[in-house]
Amino acid sequence: MDKILEKFLRKRKQAIKNPEKYRNVYDRNITRITFYLEHGKTKGEEFFNESLPFAPWEKLNVELSIPGYFYEMQAQASLVKGSVLNIEQLGYYLSYGYYQLTIAHIRQKRCVIRFGEDNERVISPGSVFQLATAVLLHQYDYAQQFYKLFQNGYMKNWINRSKSHIGDFIILLFDRVKGDNTLKPIVDDFAYQSIIDNWDSTDLTKVTSYLNQLCDDQVTQVASPPSKMFFEFDNMNWQFTPYAALMLLTLRAQHGLENPDFEHPGFGNVTSLLLTQPVAPEKDDLLEQLVVKLHEQGFDEKALLA
């Protein structure tokens, strides 16, 4: 574990520069959003379907994901530098994710109408961190919106899973604690069933062992080569924020359970990162304009997902 941890910590130090490296990608994406605002559609091929015509906003994808990645990267860099959660950047990340995943959910529901079958493995495995972020910021409405997507699609293989079980854990933990408790693991030998079953344990030694397991696994997966196929941790996002551990601690705190003062060699003091008050996510100016355009085009998430 020492060599794995050393590799992880080297990569962690480099994460401070990730937003700078990604800036050009983010800036180029602004032109895509501006094009949509001006023309009411994305660039590229248009799709047609007689059963159910495509709305122009159904083609939005990278236009929403790239800004989200950029804001999450900045939050991660702040955590690495200052050992605090940058709630403003996480709020922007959550806002973009809300529209990205809501549109993805609507596309999936319409896929059956248009083509008579589910579209499998089209939801990014990193999408689960939006659910975890909503929990961390105490934004229950956002969390429920994301949960509906996973509740409908997790067991239908909508998600392009990697070899990691951490994403499964985030979905299944929320289902157990805040959802309908109806989902089952879709992977053999699910690594975290005992944590799901005992999430509300009052044995702090046991809880500490669970937190160590989640954090140790994340360290190992971040440090692993691409061939291991932990691809949500094989990029510049989500690697150095212990989302799964923080989500477990946050849900326990929300239910009045005592938490251990947990520290990990890869992430520092995790318990100290917990928020005690809700943080309302903000939209940046570009997303504000885009949402106005979406509503002008008939986008109404509550009606469309009813």
Side-chain angles (χ1 to χ4, degrees):
M1 185 65 179
D2 287 346
K3 289 185 177 179
I4 292 172
L5 180 61
E6 287 175 8
K7 183 177 180 181
F8 174 88
L9 292 175
R10 284 197 304 272
K11 293 183 72 173
R12 185 176 185 269
K13 187 176 180 180
Q14 295 165 2
I16 295 173
K17 296 183 179 179
N18 284 348
E20 179 184 338
K21 294 176 183 176
Y22 201 71
R23 167 64 75 171
N24 286 339
V25 177
Y26 172 78
D27 288 343
R28 287 196 301 270
N29 189 66
I30 291 175
T31 64
R32 293 190 185 97
I33 299 178
T34 302
F35 182 91
Y36 192 93
L37 292 173
E38 292 175 353
H39 300 279
K41 63 180 182 178
T42 60
K43 292 182 179 181
E45 180 184 0
E46 294 189 31
F47 302 138
F48 300 94
N49 185 272
E50 292 183 1
S51 300
L52 180 60
F54 285 88
W57 43 262
E58 288 186 69
K59 284 188 65 182
L60 289 170
N61 189 5
V62 295
E63 294 85 357
L64 294 168
S65 63
I66 286 174
Y69 296 158
F70 184 61
Y71 284 124
E72 197 278 337
M73 256 177 240
Q74 292 183 79
Q76 188 168 240
S78 295
L79 178 60
V80 171
K81 285 190 290 187
S83 299
V84 292
L85 289 177
N86 188 324
I87 57 177
E88 180 182 14
Q89 302 300 325
L90 285 176
Y92 289 142
Y93 166 61
L94 190 64
S95 292
Y96 272 97
Y98 177 85
Y99 290 97
Q100 180 196 358
L101 293 187
T102 298
I103 289 171
H105 192 180
I106 293 167
R107 279 199 305 262
Q108 287 297 98
K109 287 189 67 175
R110 292 182 166 191
C111 186
V112 176
I113 299 171
R114 288 174 175 138
F115 307 111
E117 60 184 4
D118 285 302
N119 198 4
E120 295 185 352
R121 297 178 177 86
V122 294
I123 305 298
S124 164
S127 300
V128 298
F129 298 113
Q130 290 283 358
L131 176 58
T133 300
V135 171
L136 303 190
L137 299 185
H138 299 269
Q139 291 300 315
Y140 185 68
D141 288 344
Y142 282 73
Q144 278 295 329
Q145 186 80 344
F146 299 142
Y147 170 65
K148 288 176 186 176
L149 167 64
F150 299 125
Q151 184 182 37
N152 288 331
Y154 172 70
M155 297 184 70
K156 295 178 182 176
N157 296 309
W158 287 3
I159 302 166
N160 185 25
R161 293 192 66 266
S162 75
K163 297 294 185 181
S164 176
H165 291 192
I166 289 176
D168 303 83
F169 170 76
I170 288 172
I171 294 168
L172 295 169
L173 178 64
F174 191 89
D175 179 64
R176 175 66 64 91
V177 180
K178 294 285 192 180
D180 294 337
N181 193 20
T182 56
L183 300 180
K184 305 296 180 187
I186 60 172
V187 291
D188 294 331
D189 301 320
F190 177 51
Y192 309 116
Q193 190 61 54
S194 61
I195 308 180
I196 300 289
D197 292 338
N198 297 286
W199 72 272
D200 56 354
S201 174
T202 56
D203 183 344
L204 295 189
T205 300
K206 180 183 288 187
V207 175
T208 298
S209 72
Y210 293 155
L211 295 167
N212 271 313
Q213 181 184 358
L214 291 166
C215 289
D216 286 349
D217 286 355
Q218 185 167 333
V219 165
T220 299
Q221 292 170 25
V222 169
S224 295
S227 60
K228 295 294 185 180
M229 294 186 67
F230 300 122
F231 37 78
E232 60 263 60
F233 295 122
D234 186 28
N235 52 47
M236 293 190 283
N237 288 103
W238 313 303
Q239 297 174 317
F240 308 109
T241 304
Y243 284 105
L246 282 169
M247 182 174 175
L248 175 60
L249 287 167
T250 300
L251 289 172
R252 287 176 53 83
Q254 288 175 353
H255 284 76
L257 296 166
E258 183 183 2
N259 279 322
D261 184 24
F262 175 68
E263 190 152 346
H264 187 272
F267 299 103
N269 192 303
V270 178
T271 307
S272 67
L273 300 176
L274 295 185
L275 303 174
T276 57
Q277 298 294 328
V279 176
E282 300 286 341
K283 302 180 187 73
D284 66 14
D285 291 342
L286 211 54
L287 184 57
E288 289 276 12
Q289 295 176 59
L290 186 58
V291 170
V292 170
K293 174 64 74 173
L294 295 182
H295 289 157
E296 289 174 356
Q297 295 178 320
F299 177 79
D300 181 345
E301 62 268 40
K302 290 182 171 57
L304 291 166
L305 289 174

